[in-house]
Structures are given as C-alpha cells and as structure tokens.
Amino acid sequence: MDNKSTIEDIRKRFDKDVERFSNLETGQVSTIDANISLELITESAKRLRPQAENLLDVGCGAGNYTLKMLSKLPDLNCTLLDLSLPMLEKAQERVSAETKGTVEIVQGDLRKVELPVKHYDIILAGAVLHHLRDESDWLFTFSKLHRLLKPGGCLMISDLIVQDSDVLTAYIWEKYSDYLIEVAGEEYKNKVLEYIEIEDSPRSLNFQLDLMKNTGFRKVEVLHKNLCFAAYGGIK
C-alpha cells in the first residue's frame, strides 16, 4: 500500500477533472453498468426511505448521484462531501438548482470531518470507498457511516471491487481489460489500469458486506454485480 496515491494526490487529480466528471457519459466510461448502478441505488434508497429529508453524498464529485436522487425524492436537504473544492463548487451549483432544501458543502476526508450523527436518511457513496487503504480504515469508515445514519436509514454504494480469490480476481481483471479495449482501445485500457494500480485499493463484496454487519447494519443488500463493479448497501 505504501506506493499508493496519497489523499492529497487524489484531490489534485480530481481538481483538474471537474468538467469530465460533470457528465455521466464522460465521467464514468470506465465503469461497467454505471447508469444501471446509479438507478438501482437511488431507486432503492427512495423505496427504503420515501419520507427522507436529509441526504449525504460521500465523494460527491460534481453531484451526479445527488442529482439522480433528487429526481426521485425532490427537495432533500443535501450535504455534499468531497476532497476537491472545484468539484464541490460545481456540485453545489448544479444541486442548488434542483432542490428547495438546504445544500451544504464539506471539503475533506470522510474519516476526519465533523458531521452530525443519526442525522441522514440516505448516504450515497459512489466510486469512493475503493480509496480506503488498510482494514482499520475500512472499519472506521463503515462504523462512522453507520453512526451518521438515522435508525432505518440506508447506505447505498456503487464501487469497484475485487474477488476473495486471487485466481478469480485475476480472471475478472482480464475480462475488465477486454471491456476497456472494446470501449476505447489498448492505450485507454493501460491508462485506466495504471490509475487503479496507483490510486485504488478495492476490497471484495463479501468483505464489505461482512463489515457492514459487524458495524451494526441490520440488513445488507446486493443490487447488482458485473465483473469488478457492484451496487450494494446496508440498512441501519
């Protein structure tokens, strides 16, 4: 893990990429079934918390997940959390135009920022948890997310994952490489895989679901999985 990007490295990269991530068509080309997962986690959140008032979007980027959530549950109070201030400013601009609720931006690392406990009906975490590193990081983060939710609230995640078996992980990455080549060619595949190697440390779906249960989530759900991407979540 020592050769991985620091939080500051990640922030700087996203600072420079606001416009691309403001567009689902360009910001998630490398993510298999991005639109399907986005639909599934937001529609599930709506059905689990139809009377929701407060939303937290962790690693909100330019606000795509919150905007999708607002298309299903209008006028939520939205808290947007991200490392990148330019991303947050773009998200605030876009989200404020779509809700009569409050829109608060919080710049920083989820593990370090102060947020109100038992406050959020829905927490969305899109393509962010794979930046966590060791097991203590993961345990602390899931414990904190659980504390931030109201009883009955839901955490909905869309993210990069691995398999528990190294052999099967290697196979899945082969299939993912084929997908990337089909999307945009060999050079694009190499660029994406290089970013993942430097920046990401994903964990398996089983690891995360077990961790959710161990940190107090009453129920965990798998909504979708395709190769190394999944949509899943927990209910407090």
Side-chain angles (χ1 to χ4, degrees):
M1 299 288 181
D2 291 341
N3 60 343
K4 294 286 186 180
S5 300
T6 65
I7 290 297
E8 183 65 11
D9 294 333
I10 295 168
R11 181 193 64 76
K12 287 177 180 175
R13 182 168 84 82
F14 283 104
D15 279 355
K16 298 172 184 174
D17 229 354
V18 174
E19 290 309 315
R20 182 166 69 88
F21 281 100
S22 299
N23 183 335
L24 273 178
E25 300 307 315
T26 58
Q28 300 198 60
V29 172
S30 63
T31 303
I32 298 171
D33 292 347
N35 286 320
I36 293 171
S37 291
L38 180 55
E39 169 64 25
L40 286 169
I41 66 171
T42 51
E43 183 65 25
S44 296
K46 171 192 170 183
R47 293 179 184 223
L48 288 167
R49 297 294 283 182
Q51 305 303 318
E53 297 175 341
N54 301 318
L55 166 71
L56 171 63
D57 189 344
V58 179
C60 68
N64 291 329
Y65 282 73
T66 291
L67 290 170
K68 187 71 169 181
M69 195 71 248
L70 288 171
S71 75
K72 297 174 179 295
L73 289 174
D75 299 331
L76 293 167
N77 300 312
C78 302
T79 301
L80 308 173
L81 170 65
D82 204 273
L83 294 171
S84 168
L85 186 57
M87 283 285 191
L88 283 168
E89 289 170 343
K90 172 61 81 170
Q92 183 179 36
E93 173 192 326
R94 298 170 78 208
V95 170
S96 295
E98 299 298 328
T99 182
K100 294 175 185 171
T102 60
V103 180
E104 178 187 9
I105 61 170
V106 180
Q107 184 185 11
D109 183 332
L110 171 66
R111 294 165 295 183
K112 297 178 180 177
V113 296
E114 292 288 329
L115 293 165
V117 299
K118 297 181 181 177
H119 179 71
Y120 301 101
D121 298 282
I122 298 166
I123 298 178
L124 301 178
V128 63
L129 297 182
H130 63 254
H131 290 134
L132 295 172
R133 300 298 183 222
D134 59 29
E135 292 205 10
S136 62
D137 261 357
W138 285 88
L139 177 60
F140 181 87
T141 299
F142 273 113
S143 297
K144 183 169 186 177
L145 291 167
H146 183 268
R147 289 197 306 275
L148 296 177
L149 282 169
K150 292 178 184 176
C154 60
L155 165 65
M156 288 293 156
I157 303 165
S158 174
D159 216 333
L160 179 70
I161 58 168
V162 293
Q163 302 299 123
D164 285 321
S165 159
D166 291 341
V167 170
L168 292 181
T169 294
Y171 167 61
I172 295 298
W173 285 115
E174 284 177 22
K175 298 294 287 182
Y176 181 45
S177 296
D178 293 343
Y179 165 83
L180 292 171
I181 292 169
E182 191 175 319
V183 166
E186 184 80 23
E187 186 178 340
Y188 177 70
K189 178 210 76 172
N190 292 336
K191 181 180 177 183
V192 171
L193 295 182
E194 183 180 312
Y195 266 127
I196 291 172
E197 179 63 30
I198 293 170
E199 208 168 89
D200 304 342
S201 40
R203 295 297 181 104
S204 75
L205 199 48
N206 291 327
F207 170 84
Q208 294 181 64
L209 297 175
D210 286 345
L211 195 54
M212 273 188 248
K213 291 176 187 174
N214 291 338
T215 51
F217 286 88
R218 289 186 298 115
K219 296 178 182 177
V220 296
E221 299 286 357
V222 178
L223 303 171
H224 183 68
K225 180 184 182 296
N226 191 345
L227 298 181
C228 50
F229 292 92
Y232 47 103
I235 304 164
K236 181 172 179 176

